[in-house]
Amino acid sequence: EALQRIVSNLANKNGEIHNFIDMLNHTIKNVQINSSNAISELDEEFDGLYSILDEMKGSMASTIQQEEAHKIQALQDQLSQCSNALESSEELLELAAQSLDVKDPVEFLKVENSEQIWVKQIVTMASAFRISLKPTVSDSMTHLMVDFALERRILQSVNFLPVPKAPEIDLAACLVADNCITVSWRMPEDDGRIDHFVLEYRKTNFGLPRVKDEQSWELIDYIKATEYTLSGLKFDTKYMNLRVQACNKAVAGEYSDPVTLETKAFVFSLDSTSSHLNLKVEDTYVEWDPTGGKGQEKVKGKENKSGGGPSPKRTPVNTRSLARGSRDRFTGESYTVLGDTAVESGQHYWEVRAQKDCKSYSVGVTYRNLGKFDQLGKTSSSWCIHINNWLQTTISAKHNNKTKTLDITVPDRIGVYCDFDGGQLTFYNANSKELLHTFRTKFTQPLLPGFMIWCGGLTVSTGLQVPSAVKMLQKSENVLSGSTGSLNN
């Protein structure tokens, strides 16, 4: 048996070596192919560079030729003027010479006076006296010379693109707020060849990055700036790992050292084991079902006759609902379902959206001791706001069987803010963050989110951070005191 195990291990090892040899041969072929592709790409780059140089050479040569033609034309025009002036001067010289050839004073005086004046004038006004004997343009072409010393140095420095260095995430500039994470980073040194950045992130329940038992990285590619905001997140874990890499047009660099940001949020699901039989519950959605109770009663009756087994629609109790303690389902007119996770400390926030055709619903919190016939807001251990959409839409705050009608518009989404340690339960318009109502009391027991629904459905959004706007409003005592009613303990 020992020998057989050794032979088996050796055979497996031989198989691994064969596979490795195949992989090495395949890698050699890939190296050859990739090398050939790299040479082809290099040829294309240099051909492109040659093409640019040829185009620039042709353009600059054309400029020189145009300058040459301009100067030659100007000099030819001046040459023509000088030739005409010279021809005219020679004719005048001949005419003047004829006049000067008269030697006899008597004969010279016989020349009419007007003719003498005319000869004098035309000789004096000869174009040869007015023409410039300086070339209009220079024969120099040095102003069209080029100096390629700088370009030559640049070309001589051309080399393969270097691998970018790893960016450095600026932890102090990173921000976690409003279900968004803003990540900021910088390069250790200036690198003008960086084309874009890649950001990777993953959720985790561990404060420090771990190798095993982690979720896979999610990727955001082609980021041009050195900052990016991840929005619309659900913070269903305690932390988030992030890392960044820089890329040029050829290669991606090493990843930055990963950083871990804490993402505090309250996450819960609806506890189907607590829900009224007339409610259909799926994780974070609850819907009124008028036939649910009757159907369950019939099934239960048959089961009792056949041996009294559990209802097939009863969801097994999970670990979080066990922490709340066992209880019977809500019944009677208490069409209620609770959250499966309790608030025992800190500040938490969640939101609720009702269907448009929802006739009646309540949103709030309660201690664990809410009876199966009790309704939210009608006991001293539960607080809620209630919306009634029959005939006329109304919204009211309820606690200890007391009701206060609120003169406000019913929002599409309701935000619930619970400050357990501060003894505060506040409801907001989740869109505008307008304050709806605040309960102030001292909570003495853990709180469970509670929901009542009749004719319609509710969707609960958890894993949300306390919005910045809500934090700002909490600092304003005037706003809070202005909305605090007489329903507080």
Side-chain angles (χ1 to χ4, degrees):
E1 290 177 358
L3 180 60
Q4 188 164 357
R5 283 197 301 270
I6 295 173
V7 171
S8 178
N9 291 336
L10 182 59
N12 291 336
K13 191 65 177 179
N14 288 345
E16 292 177 2
I17 294 174
H18 278 297
N19 292 334
F20 185 63
I21 290 174
D22 292 340
M23 186 194 72
L24 289 177
N25 288 326
H26 183 68
T27 304
I28 290 172
K29 291 181 180 179
N30 286 341
V31 168
Q32 293 171 339
I33 293 172
N34 292 335
S35 177
S36 178
N37 292 338
I39 291 175
S40 297
E41 292 175 359
L42 184 66
D43 288 339
E44 290 180 3
E45 291 292 338
F46 271 90
D47 287 343
L49 186 60
Y50 298 151
S51 177
I52 293 173
L53 290 173
D54 286 339
E55 184 178 349
M56 291 179 62
K57 178 182 177 181
S59 176
M60 297 176 78
S62 177
T63 300
I64 294 174
Q65 291 170 351
Q66 291 176 5
E67 182 73 5
E68 176 191 12
H70 166 71
K71 287 193 171 187
I72 289 177
Q73 184 62 48
L75 291 172
Q76 286 179 342
D77 291 343
Q78 192 175 15
L79 180 61
S80 177
Q81 292 176 1
C82 290
S83 298
N84 293 336
L86 182 61
E87 183 179 352
S88 175
S89 296
E90 290 177 348
E91 292 178 355
L92 289 176
L93 286 174
E94 184 178 355
L95 179 61
Q98 291 176 357
S99 299
L100 292 175
D101 283 344
V102 180
K103 304 298 183 181
D104 186 358
V106 177
E107 292 295 328
F108 184 80
L109 291 174
K110 288 181 180 180
V111 179
E112 294 183 2
N113 188 47
S114 61
E115 184 178 348
Q116 294 178 17
I117 296 173
W118 174 77
V119 172
K120 182 178 180 182
Q121 286 179 341
I122 62 174
V123 172
T124 304
M125 298 300 294
S127 59
F129 292 118
R130 300 191 305 273
I131 197 167
S132 173
L133 298 181
K134 182 179 180 181
T136 55
V137 295
S138 169
D139 61 352
S140 173
M141 299 291 280
T142 56
H143 63 290
L144 294 178
M145 298 300 290
V146 293
D147 180 8
F148 284 119
L150 176 61
E151 289 76 7
R152 187 176 290 106
R153 286 195 297 271
I154 294 175
L155 287 173
Q156 289 173 343
S157 66
V158 170
N159 205 336
F160 298 107
L161 283 172
V163 177
K165 294 186 177 181
E168 298 173 351
I169 296 180
D170 185 0
L171 196 56
C174 294
L175 178 65
V176 179
D178 299 322
N179 285 10
C180 299
I181 290 181
T182 299
V183 190
S184 181
W185 61 88
R186 57 177 176 265
M187 294 299 295
E189 59 185 41
D190 291 337
D191 188 348
R193 298 174 184 266
I194 298 299
D195 180 70
H196 66 275
F197 297 93
V198 176
L199 169 66
E200 290 191 348
Y201 66 96
R202 63 183 176 188
K203 300 175 182 179
T204 178
N205 281 316
F206 305 102
L208 297 175
R210 292 162 54 117
V211 177
K212 297 180 179 180
D213 302 326
E214 289 284 8
Q215 297 184 18
S216 58
W217 292 96
E218 297 186 58
L219 183 143
I220 305 294
D221 204 352
Y222 296 104
I223 302 172
K224 295 295 185 179
T226 56
E227 183 178 277
Y228 190 82
T229 299
L230 296 165
S231 59
L233 297 175
K234 181 178 179 180
F235 294 128
D236 49 3
T237 53
K238 294 182 180 180
Y239 303 96
M240 185 171 290
N241 300 148
L242 304 112
R243 64 184 186 183
V244 183
Q245 68 177 164
C247 306
N248 54 35
K249 293 184 177 181
V251 66
E254 294 292 330
Y255 279 101
S256 65
D257 292 334
V259 299
T260 301
L261 299 180
E262 188 172 3
T263 55
K264 294 180 180 179
F266 181 49
V267 181
F268 65 90
S269 297
L270 299 179
D271 182 7
S272 59
T273 66
S274 72
S275 67
H276 194 286
L277 290 176
N278 283 102
L279 300 181
K280 287 184 178 179
V281 176
E282 295 181 4
D283 194 20
T284 56
Y285 177 74
V286 55
E287 183 178 10
W288 163 260
D289 180 13
T291 65
K294 294 180 180 179
Q296 289 288 346
E297 288 171 2
K298 291 180 180 179
V299 173
K300 187 174 182 179
K302 291 180 181 179
E303 289 169 349
N304 288 336
K305 291 179 181 179
S306 61
S311 169
K313 292 189 177 181
R314 183 177 294 273
T315 305
V317 179
N318 59 30
T319 55
R320 287 192 284 189
S321 61
L322 281 174
R324 181 180 56 81
S326 61
R327 59 160 296 118
D328 295 329
R329 289 177 180 269
F330 288 100
T331 189
E333 295 184 355
S334 181
Y335 305 111
T336 304
V337 62
L338 302 178
D340 62 359
T341 304
V343 174
E344 299 181 0
S345 63
Q347 302 176 26
H348 306 285
Y349 180 83
W350 60 94
E351 294 180 353
V352 181
R353 181 192 293 273
Q355 292 180 347
K356 292 184 179 180
D357 59 349
C358 194
K359 298 301 182 183
S360 177
Y361 60 96
S362 298
V363 178
V365 297
T366 178
Y367 292 156
R368 291 191 175 102
N369 60 6
L370 189 67
K372 65 179 182 179
F373 292 99
D374 293 335
Q375 297 181 11
L376 288 176
K378 290 191 176 183
T379 68
S380 60
S381 60
S382 62
W383 300 259
C384 73
I385 58 172
H386 176 74
I387 291 85
N388 189 339
N389 282 325
W390 288 103
L391 299 179
Q392 183 178 353
T393 300
T394 60
I395 180 171
S396 56
K398 292 185 175 183
H399 170 61
N400 201 18
N401 207 23
K402 295 180 181 179
T403 301
K404 177 183 179 182
T405 301
L406 306 178
D407 186 17
I408 53 178
T409 303
V410 178
D412 294 334
R413 289 186 299 127
I414 296 174
V416 183
Y417 168 75
C418 180
D419 181 359
F420 186 91
D421 301 321
Q424 181 175 319
L425 177 68
T426 306
F427 300 89
Y428 291 92
N429 180 326
N431 295 321
S432 65
K433 300 302 181 290
E434 176 187 1
L435 185 63
L436 304 180
H437 186 78
T438 294
F439 292 103
R440 286 184 177 276
T441 187
K442 182 179 180 180
F443 298 120
T444 58
Q445 300 178 36
L447 295 169
L448 290 169
F451 310 88
M452 188 283 292
I453 181 71
W454 189 46
C455 295
L458 294 177
T459 300
V460 184
S461 298
T462 71
L464 306 178
Q465 289 183 312
V466 180
S468 299
V470 170
K471 292 181 179 179
M472 295 283 290
L473 287 172
Q474 296 308 311
K475 297 178 181 179
S476 175
E477 291 296 330
N478 293 332
V479 175
L480 290 175
S481 62
S483 63
T484 300
S486 60
L487 300 177
N488 304 326
N489 279 349

